[in-house]
Amino acid sequence: MADQNEAGRLKQETALQKLLRRPEIGSFTVMLIIIVALSFASEGKSFSALGLKNNIAIIAQYGIIATGAAVLMIAGEFDLSIGSMIGFAGMAMSMMLKWGLPFGMGEATPFTAFIFTLAMTLIFGWLIGTVVVRSGLSSFIVTLAFLFFLRGVTEVSFRLINKSTQISGLPDYKEESWFANLLGGDVFGWFYDLWFMLGGNLNRKGAQWVDGFDARFLWWLIISAVAYFILSRTQFGNWIFATGDNKEAARANGVPVNRVKVTLFMFTAFCATMFAACQVFDTNTSDAAKGNLMELFAIAIAVVGGTLMTGGFGSIIGVVFGAITVGLVANAVFFIPAIDGAWFRVFLGAILLAAVFANERIRKRITGGI
């Protein structure tokens, strides 16, 4: 009997050790602490019907770009052009909606404007990836160059064609276009309908207050689910981890390292385009400054979520937890007026540094200290 108890205890310890090795365990713990603290500090306002909608909107937009950044980082590369790609994509879409398709191809619809924009951003993603793998230069330097290039092209195009760095007052395409509504409308209305039926989600007049979440929430879930499936269930996912762990060994074992990296740079461009499209069709505006510094938030969330800076290790589930944590803290100032918004940057800097140390300890546990 004693032997059986000892065997059971060892089995439990082994399970606990496996749990502690998970890359997302740290981000999950921090997320729980933030949720509890914010609930008390805001007196529940953060998780009221409107508060939940606003929080999810911020979390989802961070999550979309952080997913792209994390998968690329697992493969051992960085993309500092994500934020500028958001601004470029928003500019391209809104200008086509206002002035028509390029090359005199006629009036743009939300769908055609999105497709033309996606084609351009994917070409840029392919170009960035190709320069990185063909030149052997650091992706940090190459994407930093494209950060300035894309931001400059965006501002110059706005000034030359639109005579202003902002486009506002576009028609509300959600009312007439299923595609615009799919990107900029509301989703999961049944959740708020149920909340209303249970006696919540009420405005001062007793009517339903909120009708649904922003559509970007749905797209974040889809992008995260696809990325999780690819990383955990496909050969391409194994190639991504192998590329980030040791690209020369991966290449020697038949992994198409260059193709993997180029594809992932295109994926980050896709995520940036989805981010921009949801913004444009939600607000009916665009601005040359859109996406500013978003590349840093994306990388920070990926690291907080357990992704190693050196590649070869990471988790999409951890990125989800990281996005929730950062999004909640970023939005906390609206629910707790006594908090200076600058404290968000203090928190992000501290938690990022802590995450780097924690991730390194996890890596050493897994590799035996190598």
Side-chain angles (χ1 to χ4, degrees):
M1 180 64 70
D3 291 341
Q4 289 179 349
N5 291 336
E6 180 67 16
R9 188 182 66 81
L10 292 174
K11 186 176 181 181
Q12 288 178 349
E13 290 177 351
T14 302
L16 179 60
Q17 289 172 349
K18 288 181 179 179
L19 179 63
L20 293 175
R21 288 194 184 106
R22 295 290 302 175
E24 62 270 7
I25 187 65
S27 59
F28 176 72
T29 303
V30 174
M31 180 192 71
L32 287 182
I33 294 172
I34 293 300
I35 289 175
V36 173
L38 193 55
S39 297
F40 282 104
S42 68
E43 298 178 348
K45 294 177 183 178
S46 291
F47 302 102
S48 65
L50 185 59
L52 189 61
K53 175 184 174 72
N54 291 337
N55 277 324
I56 289 293
I58 297 297
I59 291 167
Q61 68 179 17
Y62 283 158
I64 289 172
I65 55 172
T67 301
V71 176
L72 182 62
M73 287 170 64
I74 291 172
E77 303 291 353
F78 292 92
D79 189 351
L80 296 179
S81 70
I82 295 175
S84 296
M85 192 76 76
I86 291 171
F88 173 82
M91 175 272 295
M93 258 179 286
S94 59
M95 289 184 66
M96 280 188 273
L97 290 169
K98 183 174 181 179
W99 301 102
L101 295 173
F103 313 116
M105 297 179 65
E107 185 178 350
T109 65
F111 180 73
T112 55
F114 173 81
I115 292 299
F116 269 87
T117 300
L118 182 60
M120 288 188 288
T121 55
L122 289 180
I123 288 172
F124 273 119
W126 173 85
L127 179 61
I128 292 170
T130 301
V131 171
V132 169
V133 300
R134 293 290 179 85
S135 67
L137 294 173
S138 165
S139 57
F140 181 91
I141 296 300
V142 174
T143 57
L144 180 63
F146 274 91
L147 178 155
F148 292 119
F149 176 80
L150 288 170
R151 187 65 68 184
V153 167
T154 301
E155 293 181 1
V156 167
S157 299
F158 262 122
R159 290 194 174 99
L160 286 178
I161 301 174
N162 192 58
K163 310 303 181 185
S164 171
T165 57
Q166 184 181 60
I167 291 179
S168 58
L170 290 172
D172 190 356
Y173 290 102
K174 297 187 293 293
E175 296 181 354
E176 60 188 47
S177 168
W178 65 269
F179 186 77
N181 190 59
L182 190 63
L183 291 171
D186 290 333
V187 295
F188 302 130
W190 58 266
F191 175 82
Y192 281 105
D193 292 341
L194 180 60
W195 197 339
F196 176 71
M197 291 171 59
L198 294 175
N201 188 24
L202 301 172
N203 61 19
R204 292 180 179 178
K205 296 181 180 180
Q208 185 166 332
W209 194 10
V210 183
D211 294 324
F213 295 102
D214 289 358
R216 69 193 74 175
F217 181 34
L218 173 63
W219 290 106
W220 173 44
L221 294 178
I222 292 173
I223 290 170
S224 297
V226 171
Y228 174 81
F229 177 80
I230 289 174
L231 284 177
S232 61
R233 296 288 187 270
T234 68
Q235 183 184 54
F236 190 75
N238 292 333
W239 288 351
I240 292 172
F241 281 106
T243 298
D245 186 43
N246 188 324
K247 67 178 181 180
E248 297 305 327
R251 187 176 280 115
N253 282 280
V255 175
V257 170
N258 290 355
R259 191 172 72 191
V260 168
K261 292 187 176 185
V262 172
T263 300
L264 296 181
F265 277 108
M266 294 175 71
F267 179 58
T268 62
F270 168 78
C271 291
T273 306
M274 292 302 299
F275 181 111
C278 290
Q279 277 196 337
V280 168
F281 293 122
D282 177 32
T283 64
N284 306 313
T285 63
S286 70
D287 191 295
K290 290 290 188 182
N292 190 35
L293 296 181
M294 280 297 171
E295 61 279 349
L296 301 184
F297 283 104
I299 293 172
I301 290 169
V303 173
V304 169
T307 305
L308 283 183
M309 303 288 287
T310 52
F313 188 77
S315 163
I316 296 301
I317 296 176
V319 174
V320 170
F321 296 151
I324 293 172
T325 300
V326 174
L328 286 176
V329 176
N331 223 25
V333 66
F334 296 106
F335 302 101
I336 313 173
I339 295 180
D340 188 328
W343 282 106
F344 165 62
R345 294 182 179 86
V346 175
F347 168 82
L348 187 58
I351 196 175
L352 179 60
L353 188 60
V356 170
F357 281 112
N359 293 346
E360 182 63 15
R361 291 189 66 181
I362 292 172
R363 182 192 69 81
K364 287 182 177 179
R365 265 197 233 114
I366 293 174
T367 60
I370 297 176

